Amino acid sequence: MQISVKVFTVVLLLFICNTGFSQSGFGFDTRIEDENYEIENVFGGSHASNSGLISSLFWRHSNSFDKKNLAHYGIELANTRHPRESRQTTITGSSFVIGKSNYLISIRPYYGREKVLFQKSPQQGVRVSAMASAGPTIGLETPYYVNYRGRKEQYDPNIHSVNNINGTSSPLKGLFESNIVPGLHLKTSMTFETNSTKNRVFGIQAGFAIEAFTRKIDILPEAEGKSIYSAAFIAVYFGKRR
């Protein structure tokens, strides 16, 4: 958690500094480039402070009202970890999370708005935008299967000895046995587009997200369950405009 927040903060500060120098236009032509477009489609992946290296994948479609305002909708598939998760390596070199009984997989359709704060200059610079989005969450409480004495079983700390576990199965193993837990989510962020053109998009998004479910999610049976999860995140995305 601490490392993720530090990485997030450093990257965000670097982009803010770069934005400041780029927009000042020392010796460059700072005329606003023509960015007249109506539709934008992007794909991306993110890292959140309450998940792994790649915590989610998302798609976003945007419609432009004018050069400064956009509306967007999309969908995100995310994996969330309990803050007390601890991974242990087995004698075979594989690993598993001690005490984990379920994954939390979230399907997040959303609608949001984007406000362009700074346009990008023709030859250099960063386009900076503020974004906010919200929507329902379809939470999947998916069984966490371990390889135990040659069998694949949902982990139960009362039954399975950690000395006899030699790895885990993928979330797909228990996907069709998932319990559905509905919820809501909200995200606020800043976007920094460094290489975008009229037809191509590449940028970084950094912000905070909060997600609330109708009941506590049973990820670690021996730890207190949570119904509300919050995290800082940083994402990379790319796509096209027209």
Side-chain angles (χ1 to χ4, degrees):
M1 175 69 177
Q2 292 180 347
I3 294 177
S4 299
V5 172
K6 288 180 180 178
V7 171
F8 164 81
T9 304
V10 169
V11 173
L12 184 57
L13 288 174
L14 287 173
F15 269 88
I16 290 174
C17 291
N18 184 37
T19 302
F21 284 113
S22 300
Q23 301 299 330
S24 61
F26 290 111
F28 294 99
D29 181 4
T30 57
R31 292 171 298 175
I32 301 300
E33 74 173 340
D34 184 11
E35 287 192 341
N36 291 322
Y37 62 91
E38 296 181 354
I39 294 174
E40 176 180 285
N41 288 289
V42 302
F43 298 88
S46 72
H47 166 67
S49 56
N50 62 355
S51 190
L53 179 61
I54 300 178
S55 58
S56 75
L57 299 172
F58 63 89
W59 167 80
R60 183 173 74 238
H61 173 87
S62 301
N63 292 307
S64 175
F65 296 141
D66 51 50
K67 289 184 178 182
K68 293 285 187 178
N69 296 281
L70 299 92
H72 60 259
Y73 59 84
I75 191 166
E76 183 176 24
L77 179 66
N79 175 50
T80 301
R81 294 177 176 176
H82 192 282
R84 289 183 56 183
E85 286 190 20
S86 176
R87 187 167 292 275
Q88 178 169 313
T89 303
T90 70
I91 59 173
T92 62
S94 58
S95 63
F96 68 98
V97 178
I98 302 172
K100 184 166 183 170
S101 185
N102 292 290
Y103 293 98
L104 171 54
I105 300 172
S106 296
I107 302 172
R108 304 168 180 163
Y110 60 86
Y111 174 82
R113 300 295 292 268
E114 178 177 357
K115 176 72 173 181
V116 178
L117 304 178
F118 299 101
Q119 291 280 14
K120 189 173 82 70
S121 301
Q123 304 300 324
Q124 83 291 328
V126 179
R127 194 185 86 163
V128 182
S129 302
M131 297 180 67
S133 63
T137 294
I138 303 172
L140 301 179
E141 194 179 64
T142 303
Y144 182 77
Y145 277 90
V146 294
N147 301 325
Y148 185 77
R149 294 180 175 176
R151 303 187 302 272
K152 297 184 185 297
E153 300 178 354
Q154 184 178 11
Y155 182 72
D156 184 340
N158 298 316
I159 298 174
H160 301 116
S161 168
V162 296
N163 297 322
N164 293 313
I165 297 174
N166 60 4
T168 63
S169 298
S170 74
L172 296 177
K173 169 66 178 174
L175 185 62
F176 295 103
E177 304 169 43
S178 302
N179 295 316
I180 298 176
V181 186
L184 298 170
H185 69 275
L186 171 68
K187 298 176 77 172
T188 60
S189 62
M190 300 288 289
T191 67
F192 307 89
E193 294 184 3
T194 60
N195 250 350
S196 299
T197 65
K198 185 176 179 180
N199 302 113
R200 185 180 61 190
V201 185
F202 176 79
I204 288 179
Q205 181 180 356
F208 297 90
I210 186 168
E211 189 166 42
F213 295 93
T214 54
R215 66 166 173 84
K216 293 181 178 180
I217 307 297
D218 185 23
I219 299 177
L220 295 176
E222 295 184 333
E224 183 180 359
K226 298 178 61 178
S227 60
I228 299 177
Y229 296 82
S230 60
F233 72 90
I234 185 165
V236 176
Y237 62 88
F238 61 93
K240 290 186 176 181
R241 292 173 174 153
R242 59 183 175 84

